Amino acid sequence: MEMCSREEIMDLCPQNMCCVIPQVLPKQLCLPPCSTKEELRTILTETTAREFSDLPHDILMDIIAMLEIPDALRAASVCSSWRSVHIKLHNLGKYKRPQTPCFLYTSQSIGENIACLYSLAEKRTYKLTLPEPPISRRYLLGSSDGWLVTADERSEMHILNPITGEQIALPSVITINQVTPIFNRKGELCKYRYSRHTAEGVTESPMTLPLDKLRLEHDKWTWLPPHLGIHDCAYKDGLLYAVTSFGEIFSFDLDATVITAKVIMGRTKEYACERIYIVHAPCGDLLQVWKPQEGNGNWVDEITGFPALVSNTQNTRIFRVDTVAKKLVQIFSLDDHVLFIGNNQTSCLGVSEYPQLKANHVYFTDDFECLSSKSMWGLRLDIGVLNLEDKSIDEIVAPRLFLKCRAPVFLVPNPSMMNSTLHG
């Protein structure tokens, strides 16, 4: 039997392994309990390599199931015994540890089909080789449960798990009633005609858009009852919650025969001058997050022709939604929680489960809607970590290697169907 060495065990990320092994290993090996890294190293030094290789599979599963994704991959590479347990663990879907969100971006310097995944837990970047079409040319519409939603240069959409490399093509945009393809004299698709009846309401006239511009307008296939300016959505207990630019909150029962909108809260503001997010906190509260946007006369939206808006993240405000009194209650501290906002699933996490994250901070990426416009490439992406106490902002990763025209997103790694696409 192939054996794993003590050195290979200790080469796994010490911060994580030294938290997990003391909880599981000493008891199973009839060893004294250990409380520090030094005590753990002493115990491992006195333990034979065969004892590690011969650990029962259920005990190995308990160890590997409590690791971050990069550490689990390292554990799987230690020996054949650990590798077989790793495969079994993910086939059964018994991964226990909540995964710390990562920061995913593309860069001109690393290749068209490669994305970088920066681990907030390890402060380390991994490179992921992803399937066609090139990830660096796609628009990242969002992320949820470890999957990216992307739109390519023809505005066709895919969902992609960057950890496993699994990719699913979604139905073509021309299957949407509101979208009509336009062909040139050679019979080649060249433009799309976008109906007056959009997901956000009725416009003055239909729009004719280049192939790569529809991805900035297209929202969904199931046309929900129209509401002006939906900014963010959250899904919980079978209901889809949506918040508009005026703070209105609607819920939709997607399993209903006829989908209707239920009003959770009416307008809370008269002017749409913030980017608004909606999220359920671990305690059950529904939160609204307002990120101010200000006009910038130096930049113009190519589609609307209006001056562009840029974010003023330092003045971000957070509110608890009082669904009984139908009002917003501002909160000034997240205490031992953190927020993630941007072109990704908005989330509120507790640092007790994610100790590598900074309590009372907001992690944010730029989700400016016209960011893919070439006229906007001169803008500095609004990305960082906001300290809610003193309003200071820190960089997430430096130097900034990500593409100016493809804003990064936060992604919670999903290890299902994990393969070897993750490498340092």
Side-chain angles (χ1 to χ4, degrees):
M1 177 185 291
E2 179 187 359
M3 293 186 295
C4 50
S5 69
R6 308 182 192 92
E7 290 74 17
E8 287 174 310
I9 296 293
M10 293 307 296
D11 280 344
L12 299 179
C13 183
Q15 294 176 335
N16 295 326
M17 288 299 290
C18 290
C19 292
V20 173
I21 291 181
Q23 301 175 37
V24 180
L25 202 54
K27 182 178 179 181
Q28 301 301 327
L29 295 180
C30 298
L31 299 171
C34 53
S35 59
T36 67
K37 179 179 175 180
E38 290 70 26
E39 290 175 353
L40 173 61
R41 187 174 294 276
T42 300
I43 290 176
L44 291 176
T45 302
E46 295 173 354
T47 304
T48 67
R50 183 167 296 280
E51 285 178 289
F52 285 118
S53 296
D54 290 343
L55 279 174
H57 277 200
D58 59 336
I59 305 305
L60 287 174
M61 287 183 70
D62 283 342
I63 295 174
I64 297 176
M66 296 172 70
L67 297 175
E68 294 276 358
I69 297 301
D71 289 327
L73 283 171
R74 295 190 191 99
S77 67
V78 165
C79 59
S80 59
S81 176
W82 287 43
R83 184 162 53 252
S84 64
V85 169
H86 175 266
I87 294 172
K88 181 180 179 181
L89 174 70
H90 295 294
N91 287 342
L92 295 176
K94 293 186 176 180
Y95 214 89
K96 298 178 182 178
R97 182 186 178 93
Q99 292 297 303
T100 303
C102 294
F103 181 69
L104 185 138
Y105 62 93
T106 57
S107 173
Q108 293 173 322
S109 62
I110 59 174
E112 289 188 333
N113 291 85
I114 296 177
C116 291
L117 192 72
Y118 178 76
S119 168
L120 296 177
E122 293 187 344
K123 306 295 187 291
R124 178 176 177 181
T125 301
Y126 296 87
K127 295 178 182 178
L128 310 172
T129 301
L130 302 177
E132 294 284 345
I135 189 65
S136 64
R137 298 183 187 176
R138 303 195 217 183
Y139 186 67
L140 302 182
L141 298 177
S143 69
S144 179
D145 295 326
W147 291 80
L148 294 173
V149 182
T150 72
D152 63 21
E153 292 174 300
R154 298 170 69 92
S155 293
E156 298 293 357
M157 298 173 64
H158 297 79
I159 57 174
L160 168 66
N161 186 330
I163 301 298
T164 66
E166 185 179 10
Q167 178 170 259
I168 300 173
L170 298 178
S172 174
V173 292
I174 63 174
T175 64
I176 304 170
N177 291 335
Q178 288 76 8
V179 177
T180 304
I182 299 176
F183 300 92
N184 61 22
R185 294 181 179 179
K186 297 181 180 180
E188 300 169 334
L189 179 67
C190 61
K191 295 179 181 179
Y192 293 117
R193 185 178 179 83
Y194 193 40
S195 167
R196 293 177 59 240
H197 301 276
T198 72
E200 296 186 344
V202 180
T203 61
E204 291 184 0
S205 61
M207 291 186 291
T208 300
L209 301 172
L211 295 181
D212 65 339
K213 296 302 180 187
L214 183 63
R215 54 185 174 178
L216 303 179
E217 302 294 329
H218 171 63
D219 291 301
K220 51 187 75 64
W221 289 264
T222 301
W223 225 248
L224 300 179
H227 294 283
L228 181 63
I230 290 181
H231 275 197
D232 195 19
C233 296
Y235 184 80
K236 184 179 182 181
D237 299 331
L239 295 177
L240 180 69
Y241 295 84
V243 63
T244 75
S245 56
F246 296 100
E248 300 163 293
I249 301 176
F250 300 91
S251 68
F252 304 89
D253 183 352
L254 301 184
D255 294 326
T257 303
V258 178
I259 300 178
T260 58
K262 178 182 178 181
V263 179
I264 303 299
M265 175 171 287
R267 284 194 177 197
T268 59
K269 55 203 294 288
E270 293 301 320
Y271 302 97
C273 53
E274 288 96 1
R275 183 74 172 176
I276 301 182
Y277 309 89
I278 188 171
V279 63
H280 287 92
C283 64
D285 286 343
L286 185 62
L287 305 179
Q288 278 194 23
V289 184
W290 294 13
K291 183 172 71 172
Q293 293 181 316
E294 301 171 348
N296 187 323
N298 296 323
W299 310 98
V300 177
D301 185 332
E302 285 184 350
I303 295 178
T304 67
F306 294 118
L309 297 176
V310 294
S311 299
N312 181 8
T313 306
Q314 282 184 312
N315 291 325
T316 294
R317 292 185 288 169
I318 304 170
F319 300 88
R320 177 177 61 83
V321 179
D322 187 333
T323 56
V324 176
K326 303 293 184 180
K327 66 178 183 179
L328 299 180
V329 180
Q330 186 170 1
I331 58 178
F332 297 92
S333 173
L334 291 172
D335 298 326
D336 57 351
H337 289 80
V338 300
L339 278 173
F340 284 85
I341 61 175
N343 252 359
N344 40 257
Q345 182 177 2
T346 306
S347 56
C348 180
L349 306 175
V351 294
S352 58
E353 287 189 280
Y354 304 87
Q356 297 87 354
L357 301 179
K358 299 178 180 179
N360 199 31
H361 282 67
V362 178
Y363 292 74
F364 61 93
T365 66
D366 206 319
D367 54 359
F368 182 46
E369 293 179 351
C370 299
L371 196 59
S372 290
S373 168
K374 288 186 178 180
S375 66
M376 305 299 295
W377 285 10
L379 287 178
R380 177 181 173 83
L381 292 181
D382 185 40
I383 295 172
V385 186
L386 170 66
N387 185 329
L388 289 175
E389 182 176 357
D390 61 15
K391 301 300 182 181
S392 62
I393 293 179
D394 293 328
E395 292 279 7
I396 294 176
V397 58
R400 290 185 164 215
L401 299 177
F402 29 86
L403 292 177
K404 292 182 179 179
C405 56
R406 301 290 183 268
V409 297
F410 291 111
L411 178 96
V412 178
N414 183 345
S416 62
M417 295 185 63
M418 187 186 298
N419 59 26
S420 58
T421 58
L422 182 66
H423 55 277

